[in-house]
């Protein structure tokens, strides 16, 4: 059941896009049609499919139009006719005896069958050939297909066998309509003319034979066989065949075998019978009814039917058709006739009668009713019909939607043939489905049936008073089931009924009903949880209003609540509902719906939204909300139902706030009861157990709302509320903490400053102490709390507050205490406190007291430094890069503090120059000159500016998308700040070029951001920051990022934009220096070193750094120094691999330095990790091939042999032995044998290798390299 | 299967066509709708909203949406999947002064993607008044020949007062739509 609803929901979501998809597809098909056409022409010209891929190509194109079959219909004839002609002519030509014919028709049938699935069989078979002589041909062809049940049936890709069977069956479906006696067509009879009149022609027997076979298959052939039978057996020359088939179905339906085959056969038989009863004439079918009906009703009660929705659906179909056959054919004269004019009639006659038209109609219907009454008496209803209606009614209750649909249509069709009194009884039975004991399925089925009746004019306006209340209930049907609820399908179906009513009834008949419907429809349109229900209700409203012509505010409402505005729940609740509520008649239904159904909804987010939506409506009638709504809500805050008390608490809070915002003064008794809400909740211990957390957040929000509204509280309650907030502040759940902080912010401003000074100081002191609490949750909460304290509470002890917060921003020394969230909150709190302190000073701009300056200096020195440190927080835990949260907060903090410092600088300047207080935008130039005069006074100096921009740029090239974007945006705001100009930024012009003012920001896209930021390499003050960030991207793990950032780097180094060779060399030189700086700066810090080594390795592989002349050996030597230090004792494989690879590159160069790298590499052959030994052996092999002068020429072959023959990753002793051999061959003496390469060897000072003598012995090299 | 999918199905099954009637104010849209619906056309006031009228023609059901002021129409035809099959643009042939306005509004309307498949019938109304522009002249002013090649269009002179030309125009529209979407039935 739920699964169905879910699919219904997703279906509806998919439909959103359908309409626009259709337009696109339409345009698209015009192009694709040319492809299809040329492929088809090729097939037709060769009379066969020569290339199987063309079939798949056609099929894949056509399949796309599955939902929009009508787009293909204009082309069907051009596709189908020639293909079917090929099938026909080739069958004649080759004869069915040959096997070749199958191979020819199969691929063609695949194309035709694809069209059947896209456009429906009815459209396609119109273009099938239908000459009398084709009948035998098709039968033989089908027999041929039928008997070649191939072994390939398990293959996934269709070979066309199934399609061939289906297409031939469909062909037969057309051909059995030949208007001649089939026995005259049958050539086998012509041969031996001894057929008696009681026997069937062999041709017919053959058809019936394989159709019966197909009835018990699982594929689409089952349905098609049923269709063939329905036409064949209802032919006037086939009564015998019909009778015997019905006997056969009786045998099948009454058998009790329980296996899959029998089940399939049941499906086939019932489906075929349903088709027969649709096609056949009454006279033929009447005799069969007793038996078939008996079997049908028995089968419906069987376990087979209980298990299979499909079988029940077919049974519903068959049942209603039996019913229709049993009833005399008549159009009900009592039916409601919607007044639909005929265009041509009214145009031809309108000259003569304009108004009389209507009155004539009225007369007609009156006289019809009279006639009808008389007919009623005569009407004889067979007994069987009552049983049938009974079964259809039970089908409306079915648990499956498809069955309910079929039953609803059946009820509609059958009622159309009943007398008015009988159909009245049917209606009453349908209405019984809406009784309280029935499940959601019954309500849904009932709605569908009512809509069907209305659409057919079978629901007379006289019955509407009985029907309307039921529909109104169904519009709000929602039944809790565990943690969620069911009923969206019922609400949707109820909207369908309203829509159907609008179309069925003449607008004057509908007017009063619409007035009843409208508030309910719009309530659903605004406040239903499901988008499909909201849209359905709005569609029903639109349809009705459009037909009324002139409904109060109809056009405005339809304009507001349209398909798109309702797609978002938030928009529907907060905007659409708001504008509809202004029209008369909707406010109270809206409020009632929110109060009765949404405030206590099971979906938490819906409750929160409902509380806000309720508050929005306050402005339309504040008095009503105070006297009635609040009265209802306050007791609910103590409800035993969690959803109810949570929703009610939130709603009450929002209500108070909204009343405050429209300046409505609450009477004192209301204030009193509001003050009592939280203590009562606390007293009832509603924070405990399940739902306690939900209540905590709601209570904090409530306190926030009453604080903003300044509801009068007693001292005792104030204390108790503060306790509540403090309690929530230490809660580990961050949502609760945030809610508590927001509450605290307004609570303190509203209630605490007025009371005695002692308490206020206590609060600040208390939170300061909590900053160093052992409990991380307490630390997190207190940092945030300090951030929202007002100036008055901070002013007296600002130094202590700032210093303590700065301390909390640092990574905690004790690893056990480390908590990224606490640091994030500290950074945020620090920023907020600075803002409060700066903005709260009494005399802004003109005069400064001594204390102010020490505050500024503290911000400049301590706060900014702490924020810079926080920007370097790269802590990792099992959640990953948690330091990134701190860095993000630090970015924001730095940006804000920069603005503050610059503002102070500016006002100091101004006050120094003149007494003018106004702040005017100052041009770039004039500020610069001012700055020169007052250089020493400036808080925000060049050093700070460089660090700031450098730090941000570093974040802008690191590996996390989110941070890169945040950093780039921060830089953008700093460069183009509207209120204050940020001075001293080095190379500002270049930065403005990189980050253009009009940029349509794509900073999250690496290929956009990297090439821009890499330009900053040219400037020494930024290059190191950029590099230390960039290596994490280039040498990182994420492939796409690696590619983009590397290509940006290479483009820069290879000077894509300039041809100047000197410039390129200098760029590379600069980069090499910066790389060495990074290696020094981040010693043993694998987070940076590993990617840096990888970056070096990649750059080596691109032959960068090899042409730096004098710099090259120096660079190599420094890299080797760093490597020997970094790789010693390292257990990090990626680091070791990168290191070995770098050694390989250096060993391969022709400089003397290669020997040192070579010997380091040799040492790795004895490394304790087998994989490392193997990797270094591979590297050595390559080096020796590359660089002949490392080893004497006569020994090189031997050395290569040892390297390649030895199994380096097996035994370590063997490896060490072989390394010794190798050393001897090459002529290297080795230091003390043992594990000197695994990091335990003694530490030796690295020697500056640039002045290394080429002739120095290898052993000293080995020694100096530390292995 | 929700209401919105039912609407789509019904539209197809019952051979429904959705026709949007638009044009400048006082061009006679409502009069035309009333005329073809066989209702009284003697008292007409400006349409302050929209009307849906259902009329049958041959085997088709036409749902005609007669919309008032142009500025606010959009949500009517974009709502609820009822894609517009036909567009009737009514021109007041006697209102020479606003013919440029008329052209501008029509051009804007035809730019709408969702109307791209709709057949366009232009009714040059008020042909019963002496000295008005002929349909051919209006076609020239509106520069209809320059329209996108994929658009099916037709201009017909008519009079909502006498009813002349209306049948011809709607007959073309219905046949044209039918040939696109129900060609097989």
């Amino acid at each position: 059941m739920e699964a169905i609803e879910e699919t219904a929901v997703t279906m509806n979501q998919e439909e959103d896009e359908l309409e626009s998809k259709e337009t696109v597809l339409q345009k698209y098909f015009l192009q694709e049609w040319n492809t299809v056409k040329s492929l088809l022409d090729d097939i037709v010209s060769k009379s066969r499919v020569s290339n199987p891929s063309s079939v798949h190509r056609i099929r894949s194109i056509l399949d796309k139009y599955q939902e929009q079959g009508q787009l293909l219909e204009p082309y069907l004839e051009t596709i189908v006719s020639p293909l079917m002609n090929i099938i026909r002519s080739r069958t004649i030509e080759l004869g069915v005896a040959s096997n070749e014919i199958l191979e020819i028709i199969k691929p063609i049938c695949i194309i035709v069958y694809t069209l059947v699935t896209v456009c429906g069989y009815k459209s396609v078979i119109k273009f099938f050939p239908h000459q009398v002589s084709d009948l035998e041909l098709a039968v033989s062809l089908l027999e041929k297909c039928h008997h070649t049940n191939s072994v390939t049936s398990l293959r996934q890709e269709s070979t066309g066998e199934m399609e061939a069977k289906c297409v031939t069956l469909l062909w037969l479906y057309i051909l059995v309509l030949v208007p001649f006696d089939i026995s005259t067509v049958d050539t086998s009879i012509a041969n031996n003319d001894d057929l008696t009149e009681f026997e069937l022609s062999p041709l017919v027997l053959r058809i019936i034979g394989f159709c019966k076979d197909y009835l018990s298959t699982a594929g689409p052939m089952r349905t098609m066989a049923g269709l063939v039978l329905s036409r064949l057996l209802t032919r006037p020359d086939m009564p015998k065949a019909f009778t015997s088939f019905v006997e056969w179905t009786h045998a099948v339906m009454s058998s009790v075998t329980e296996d899959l085959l029998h089940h399939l056969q049941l499906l086939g038989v019932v489906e075929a019978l349903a088709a027969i009863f649709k096609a056949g004439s009454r006279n033929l079918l009447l005799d069969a009814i007793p038996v078939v009906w008996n079997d049908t009703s028995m089968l419906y009660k069987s376990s087979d039917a209980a298990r299979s929705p499909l079988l029940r659906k077919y049974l519903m179909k068959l049942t209603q058709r039996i019913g229709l056959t049993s009833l005399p054919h008549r159009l009900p004269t009592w039916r409601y006739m919607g007044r639909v004019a005929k265009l041509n009639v009214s145009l031809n006659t309108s000259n003569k009668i304009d108004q009389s038209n209507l009155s004539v109609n009225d007369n007609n219907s009156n006289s019809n009713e009279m006639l009808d009454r008389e007919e009623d008496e005569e009407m004889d209803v067979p007994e069987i019909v009552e049983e049938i209606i009974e079964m259809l009614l039970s089908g409306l209750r079915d648990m499956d939607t498809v069955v309910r649909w079929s039953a609803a249509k059946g009820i509609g069709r059958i009622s159309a043939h009943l007398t008015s009194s009988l159909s009245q009884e049917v209606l009453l039975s349908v209405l019984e489905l809406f009784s309280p004991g029935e499940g959601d399925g019954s309500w849904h089925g009932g709605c569908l049936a009512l809509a069907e009746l209305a659409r057919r004019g079978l629901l007379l306006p006289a019955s509407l008073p009985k029907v309307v209340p039921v529909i109104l209930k169904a519009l709000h049907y929602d039944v809790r089931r565990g943690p969620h609820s069911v009923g969206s399908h019922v609400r949707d179906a109820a909207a369908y009924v309203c829509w159907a009513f609008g179309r069925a009834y003449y607008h004057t008949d509908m007017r009063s009903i619409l007035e009843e419907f409208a508030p309910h429809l719009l309530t659903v349109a605004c406040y239903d949880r499901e988008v499909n229900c909201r849209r359905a209700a709005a569609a029903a409203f639109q349809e009705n209003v459009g037909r009324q012509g002139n409904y109060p505010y109809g056009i405005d409402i339809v304009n507001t609540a349209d398909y798109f505005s309702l797609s978002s729940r938030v928009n529907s609740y907060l905007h659409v509902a708001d504008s509809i509520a202004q029209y008369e008649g909707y406010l109270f239904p809206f409020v009632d719906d929110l109060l009765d159904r949404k405030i206590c909804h099971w979906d938490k987010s819906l409750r929160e939204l409902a509380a806000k939506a309720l508050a929005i409506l306050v402005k339309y009638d504040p008095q009503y909300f105070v006297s009635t709504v609040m009265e209802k809500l306050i007791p609910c805050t103590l409800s035993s139902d969690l959803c109810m008390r949570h929703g009610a608490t939130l709603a009450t809070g929002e209500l108070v706030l909204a009343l405050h915002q429209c300046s409505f003064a609450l009477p004192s008794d209301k204030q009193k009861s509001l003050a009592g809400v939280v203590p009562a909740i606390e007293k009832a211990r509603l924070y405990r157990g399940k739902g306690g957390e939900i209540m905590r957040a709601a209570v904090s929000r409530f306190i926030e709302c009453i604080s903003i509204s300044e509801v009068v509280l007693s001292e005792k309650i104030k204390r108790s509320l503060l306790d509540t907030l403090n309690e929530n502040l230490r809660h580990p759940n961050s949502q609760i903490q945030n809610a508590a902080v927001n509450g605290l912010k307004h609570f303190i401003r509203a209630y605490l400053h007025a009371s005695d000074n002692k308490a206020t100081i206590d609060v600040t002191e208390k939170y300061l102490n909590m900053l160093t609490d052992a409990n991380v949750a307490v630390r997190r909460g207190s940092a945030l709390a300090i951030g929202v304290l007002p100036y008055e509470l901070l002013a007296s002890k600002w130094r202590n507050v700032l210093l303590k917060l700065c301390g909390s921003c640092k990574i905690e020394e004790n690893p056990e205490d480390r908590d990224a969230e606490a640091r994030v909150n500290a950074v945020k709190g620090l920023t907020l406190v600075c803002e409060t302190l700066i903005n709260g000073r009494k005399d802004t701009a003109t005069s400064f007291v001594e204390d102010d300056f020490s505050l500024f200096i503290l911000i400049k020195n301590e706060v900014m430094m702490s924020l810079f440190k926080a920007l370097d927080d790269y802590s990792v835990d099992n959640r990953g890069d948690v330091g990134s949260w701190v860095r993000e907060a630090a970015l924001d903090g730095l940006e804000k503090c920069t603005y503050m410092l610059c503002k102070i600088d500016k006002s100091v300047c101004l006050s120094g120059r003149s007494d003018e207080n106004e702040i005017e935008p100052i041009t770039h130039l004039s500020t610069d000159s001012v700055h020169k005069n007052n250089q020493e006074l400036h808080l925000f100096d060049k050093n700070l500016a460089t660090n700031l921009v450098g730090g941000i740029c570093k974040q802008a090239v690191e590996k996390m998308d989110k941070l890169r974007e945040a950093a780039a945006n921060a830089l953008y705001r700093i460069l183009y700040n509207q209120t204050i100009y940020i001075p001293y930024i080095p190379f500002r012009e270049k930065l403005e070029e990189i980050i253009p003012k009009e940029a349509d920001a794509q900073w999250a896209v690496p290929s956009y951001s990297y090439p821009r930021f890499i330009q900053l390499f040219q400037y020494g003050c930024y290059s190191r920051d950029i590099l230390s960030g960039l290596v994490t991207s280039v040498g990182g793990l994420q492939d796409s990022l690696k590619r983009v950032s590397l290509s940006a780097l290479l483009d820069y180094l290879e000077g894509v934009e300039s041809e100047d060779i000197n410039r390129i060399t200098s760029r590379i030189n600069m980069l090499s220096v910066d790389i060495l700086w990074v290696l020094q700066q981040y010693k043993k810090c694998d987070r940076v070193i590993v990617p840096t080594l990888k970056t070096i390795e990649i750059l080596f592989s691109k032959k960068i750094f090899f042409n730096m002349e004098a710099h090259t050996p120096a660079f190599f030597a420094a890299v080797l120094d760093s490597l020997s230090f970094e790789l010693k004792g390292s257990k990090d494989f990626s680091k070791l691999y990168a290191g070995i690879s770098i050694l390989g590159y250096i060993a391969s160069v022709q400089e003397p330095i290669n020997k040192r790298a070579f010997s380091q590499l040799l040492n790795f052959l004895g490394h304790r990790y087998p994989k490392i030994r193997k990797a270094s052996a591979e590297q050595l092999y390559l080096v020796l091939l590359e660089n002949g002068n490392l080893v004497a020429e006569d020994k090189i072959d031997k050395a290569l042999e040892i390297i390649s023959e030895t199994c380096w990753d097996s035994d370590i002793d063997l490896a060490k032995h072989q390394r010794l051999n190798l050393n001897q061959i090459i002529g290297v003496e080795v230091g003390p044998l043992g594990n000197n390469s695994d990091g335990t060897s003694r530490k030796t000072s690295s020697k500056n290798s640039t002045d290394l003598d080429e002739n120095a012995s290898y052993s000293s090299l080995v020694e100096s390299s530390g292995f | 299967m929700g209401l919105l999918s039912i609407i789509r199905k019904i539209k197809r099954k019952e051979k429904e066509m959705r026709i949007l009637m638009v044009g400048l104010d006082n061009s006679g849209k409502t009069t035309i709708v009333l005329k073809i619906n066989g209702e009284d056309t003697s008292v007409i006031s400006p349409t302050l909203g929209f009307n849906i009228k259902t009329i049958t023609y041959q085997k088709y059901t036409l749902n005609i949406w007669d919309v008032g002021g142009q500025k606010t129409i959009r949500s009517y035809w974009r709502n609820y999947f009822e894609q517009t099959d036909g567009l009737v643009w009514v021109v007041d042939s006697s209102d020479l002064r606003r013919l440029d306005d008329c052209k501008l509004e029509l051009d804007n309307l035809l730019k709408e993607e969702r109307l791209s498949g709709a057949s366009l019938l232009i009714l040059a109304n008020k042909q019963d008044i002496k000295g008005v522009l002929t349909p051919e002249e209006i076609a020239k002013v509106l520069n209809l020949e320059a329209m996108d090649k994929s658009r099916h269009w037709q201009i017909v002179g008519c009079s909502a007062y006498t009813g002349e030309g209306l049948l011809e125009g709607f007959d073309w529209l219905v046949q044209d739509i039918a040939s696109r979407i129900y060609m097989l039935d």
Side-chain angles (χ1 to χ4, degrees), chain A residues 417-485:
Chain A
H417 295 264
L418 296 176
T419 63
S420 89
S421 61
L422 263 175
S423 84
Q424 200 60 28
E425 278 178 42
V426 172
L427 175 64
L428 289 178
S429 315
V430 170
L431 289 176
E432 273 172 29
L433 293 170
F434 296 94
S435 58
E438 297 280 352
D440 55 296
S442 308
W443 281 69
H444 183 233
C447 285
L448 296 180
L450 288 178
E452 285 295 318
L453 290 174
R455 289 199 325 114
R456 288 163 205 272
L458 304 171
L459 202 59
L460 296 177
S463 329
L464 287 178
K466 269 181 277 176
V467 175
V468 169
V470 167
I471 300 299
L472 294 183
K473 267 194 223 161
L475 269 177
H476 299 292
Y477 187 90
D478 196 21
V479 175
R480 267 290 275 283
R481 198 169 284 175
H484 65 108
S485 69

Side-chain angles (χ1 to χ4, degrees), chain A residues 471 475 490-500 521 524 533 536-538 540, chain B residues 3:
Chain A
I471 300 299
L475 269 177
V490 178
R491 300 195 297 277
D492 187 288
Y496 170 43
V497 179
C498 299
W499 182 84
L521 280 175
V524 176
C533 295
Chain B
L3 168 62

Side-chain angles (χ1 to χ4, degrees), chain A residues 725-759:
Chain A
L725 289 174
N726 284 337
E727 185 76 8
N728 291 346
L729 213 48
R730 31 190 320 141
H731 200 276
N733 179 322
S734 67
Q735 271 179 328
I736 295 178
Q737 273 188 340
N738 287 331
V741 168
N742 290 335
L744 189 70
K745 180 176 176 183
H746 295 101
F747 180 83
I748 290 180
R749 275 168 177 69
Y751 301 114
L752 231 53
H753 65 90
S755 57
D756 68 326
N757 217 19
K758 179 89 171 66

Side-chain angles (χ1 to χ4, degrees), chain B residues 19-34 36 47 64-68 70 86-95 98-99 101-103 105-106 109-110 119-128 138 142 144 154-161 164 166 169-170 173:
Chain B
I19 293 169
L20 185 70
M21 288 268 276
V22 274
L24 298 186
D25 49 292
N26 197 36
S27 53
K29 299 179 290 295
T30 307
T31 315
I32 291 174
V33 175
L34 291 179
I36 58 180
T47 312
I64 302 186
W65 290 56
D66 162 28
V67 180
Q70 289 79 51
L87 195 60
V88 180
W89 182 262
V90 184
V91 184
D92 179 351
S93 314
S94 68
D95 191 356
R98 292 203 295 163
L99 223 47
D101 265 4
C102 176
K103 174 174 164 46
E105 290 288 342
L106 177 62
L109 193 67
L110 295 181
S119 308
L120 171 64
L121 168 66
I122 296 152
L123 287 177
N125 195 19
K126 309 197 184 174
Q127 290 291 323
D128 53 307
I138 290 175
L142 297 181
L144 296 177
Q154 179 74 283
I155 183 162
V156 174
C158 75
S159 160
Y161 183 70
E164 218 179 300
L166 292 179
F170 276 90
L173 185 65

